[in-house]
Amino acid sequence: MPPRIAIVHPRLSEGGGSEAKALWFLEALKDDYDVYLVTMSRVDFKRLNECYGTNLSPGQVTIIQ
């Protein structure tokens, strides 16, 4: 079982610098770790991927709201 890592971000929206960092951390870690995203916002991976150039999907990241 791979190690687990959680990234915490209160609200993911388009156009923010801290959002970009959180999403790119998830992108970099998703293949080698069980990654969790802890957030209060609804997560729309399609929209966020388009905005930040990532390729994330619900099957790769566990969302904890």
Side-chain angles (χ1 to χ4, degrees), residues 21-63:
K21 290 175 188 165
L23 291 167
W24 276 102
F25 281 134
L26 292 168
E27 179 72 33
L29 298 170
K30 70 181 183 184
D31 293 331
D32 297 318
Y33 298 88
D34 286 339
V35 289
Y36 295 80
L37 173 61
V38 181
T39 186
M40 296 184 318
S41 64
R42 185 178 141 277
V43 178
D44 181 346
F45 280 120
K46 183 177 186 278
R47 180 179 56 88
L48 293 169
N49 286 334
E50 289 172 0
C51 182
Y52 295 105
T54 53
N55 187 26
L56 299 165
S57 67
Q60 299 169 316
V61 177
T62 301
I63 310 255

Side-chain angles (χ1 to χ4, degrees), residues 7-13 17-20 22 37-41:
I7 303 294
V8 180
H9 196 285
R11 295 196 193 308
L12 293 171
S13 59
S18 65
E19 289 88 345
L37 173 61
V38 181
T39 186
M40 296 184 318
S41 64

